[in-house]
Structure formats: C-alpha cells, structure tokens
C-alpha cells in the first residue's frame, strides 16, 4: 500500500500506523486524512490484523488539524473537511479491533481527539496533551467536547477546554486520560508488548468486548447489560470458545484459530 504521510507496518498481527508528516508536526491535512482512511480500510477488512498502534514521527503525535489549510476556509469548506475528519475518528471506534494510541509528543486539538477515539492510551514522558482551539477562536470540533468529559472528570474537561492549557503526561496519567507513562525510548516496546498479548486472544472476544463497551457507554446501564448478554451468548457459537474451555479443562494452553 502506498501512503504520502503515513507508515503502515505489521508485526505479530498488530499494525503500527505512524502519522509521518514531521515538518508540520503531523498536523492532519486532507492528504493525511485520506491516508488514514486507506489504512483503516485495510485494518477493517484484513482478518490477519488483530489490533492497531497509532503513533507519530518526531516530536509530535499529532499537533491537530492543519491550521494553514483551514485558516481561509469558508464555513462550507470547513464543514466538508471537518466532517470527513470526524467520520475518520468515528471509524476508529466503529472498527471492532482494539486501537492503542502511543503518544510520543504533542497531542493537541485534533491530536488529542484522535487519541481519545482510540481504545486506550500510553504516553511518553515527553507527551503534551491539550485542546488549544480557544486560542484560535474556535472550539474542539473532532469530538473533544464530548469525549474528554466522558474520559476525565467533567469539571476538569471544562477547565482544559476553556483555558486551552497544556496537560503534561504526568497529569494525563493522574486524571485517567492515559493508562501508562513510559520513558520515551520504552514507549513503543511497551505498546507492542500489550498489543501482542491482546492480539493473542480470539478475534470474536475482542470484537464483541469492544462493541459491548462502546455501545454500552452510550446507553443506560440495564440496556447495556442486555446487549452484553446477547454478545457473550454469541461467543458460544465460536470454535475458539470451545477450544478455550477445553484447553482449560485439559490443563494446557489454548490454541486459538482466529
Ligand atoms: N497545523 C499546521 N502546521 C502546524 C501545526 C498545525 N496544527 N502545528 C505545528 N505546525 C507547523 C508549524 O507551523 C511549523 O511549521 P514551519 O514554520 O516550520 O513551516 C512546524 O509545524 C513546527 O512547529 P513550531 O515551529 O511551532 O514548533 P514548536 O516546537 O515551536 O511548537 C507547538 C510546537 C505544538 C506548541 C506549536 O507548533 C503549536 O502550538 N501548534 C499548533 C497546535 C494547535 O493549536 N493545534 C490545534 C489545531 S485546531 C472543526 C473545526 C476546527 C477543528 C476541528 C473541527 N469542525 C468544523 C468540525 C480544529 C481542530 C484543531 O485541531
């Protein structure tokens, strides 16, 4: 596959997607979004890929939407480009495979928003998060005003969005925005290690668990528990459920097919 601003590398059934536009701190312009959509098409359709690590080249993860591209937009142009970006971020949640954001540096505006669309986040000690849109005369537009208050204390989300201030990796860990902070040189090893473990689990378990969590968070508790019942019951139609339980009873490691 050919990309302009992105690297796509598969190992141990996990793809590492690296946003690779360091001259603009990996800001998301149209070409980069097109690349990302192409990469997501492959992730969605390729059964050989069990999960994704999303990261960036250089000192940034993603420094947000491309300001030089959007500065002169009319509202109509803005709507078209930004709608495309929003759709792309929503796809990360909709694809039923786990995504880990390995945040190596600046994750600002759309950069923080794309990492919040991932299932979970690890950060380098050098990572800086934030929603600085108010400094540009706008507000978060890629889901940040919705995902941040769902991920961290809503009062804190308001403070971060209204002030446009930076959030260090240490604070991000404390407020639950990231799961782990790593030395910069250890970030990718740690990301690969957890994703290798995850990729060793049956595909249907990962698929239904992600769907159950994501759809469940959008509904009330008892409807969500009903959805969980349907999905866990479906697991019993899979050969990997038979193998997993047989292996346990025979006191041996499971040999999953998917
Ligand atoms: N866009 C374009 N170029 C960027 C960029 C960005 N977001 N961020 C950095 N760059 C470019 C710089 O212009 C510079 O380019 P040259 O001058 O070398 O050509 C190069 O990357 C290196 O940046 P700096 O020289 O500034 O590097 P520093 O280390 O000094 O500073 C920084 C790093 C991350 C603190 C700084 O670059 C910075 O503040 N960047 C902007 C961060 C930001 O404000 N991000 C949020 C963007 S707004 C919507 C509408 C709008 C949006 C969403 C939805 N809808 C209608 C739905 C907007 C979303 C956003 O993300």
């Amino acid at each position: 596959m050919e990309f302009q601003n992105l690297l796509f590398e598969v190992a141990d059934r996990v793809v590492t997607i690296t946003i690779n536009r360091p001259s603009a701190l990996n800001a998301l312009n149209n070409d980069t979004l097109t690349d990302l959509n192409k990469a997501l098409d492959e992730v969605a359709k390729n059964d050989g890929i069990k999960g994704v690590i999303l990261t960036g080249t250089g000192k940034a993860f993603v420094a947000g939407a491309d300001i030089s591209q959007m500065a002169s937009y009319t509202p109509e142009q803005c709507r078209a480009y930004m709608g495309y970006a929003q759709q792309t971020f929503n796809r990360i949640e909709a694809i039923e495979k786990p995504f880990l954001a390995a945040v190596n540096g600046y994750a600002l505006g759309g950069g923080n928003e794309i990492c919040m669309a991932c299932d979970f986040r690890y950060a380098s000690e050098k990572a800086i998060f934030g929603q600085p849109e108010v400094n540009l005369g706008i507000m978060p537009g890629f889901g940040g005003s919705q995902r941040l208050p769902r991920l961290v204390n809503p009062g804190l989300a308001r403070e971060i969005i209204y002030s446009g201030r930076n959030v260090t990796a240490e604070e991000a860990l404390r407020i639950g925005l990231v799961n782990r902070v790593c030395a910069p040189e250890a970030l990718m090893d740690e990301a690969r290690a957890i994703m290798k473990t995850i990729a060793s689990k049956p595909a249907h378990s990962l698929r239904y668990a992600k769907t159950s969590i994501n759809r469940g968070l959008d509904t009330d508790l008892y409807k969500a528990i009903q959805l969980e019942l349907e999905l866990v019951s479906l697991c019993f139609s899979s050969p990997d459920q038979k193998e997993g339980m047989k292996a346990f009873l025979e006191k041996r490691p499971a040999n999953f097919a998917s």
Side-chain angles (χ1 to χ4, degrees), residues 23-25 27 59 63-68 70 78 82 86 106 108-110 132-133 136 138 141-142:
S23 60
L25 303 189
K59 70 177 180 182
D66 190 308
I67 300 169
S68 62
M70 73 177 156
C78 177
M82 298 301 176
Q86 271 190 354
Y106 291 110
L108 299 175
E133 288 87 346
L136 300 169
I138 56 173
F142 294 148

Side-chain angles (χ1 to χ4, degrees), residues 73-117:
Y73 273 170
T74 62
E76 291 72 26
Q77 287 170 318
C78 177
R79 199 177 172 76
Y81 160 68
M82 298 301 176
Y84 182 45
Q86 271 190 354
Q87 254 178 348
T88 309
F89 289 20
N90 292 345
R91 286 187 75 195
I92 291 176
E93 275 181 351
I95 292 173
E96 293 170 305
K97 297 178 182 181
F99 280 65
L100 163 60
V103 184
N104 51 301
Y106 291 110
L108 299 175
N112 192 38
E113 289 165 307
I114 199 170
C115 80
M116 290 191 292

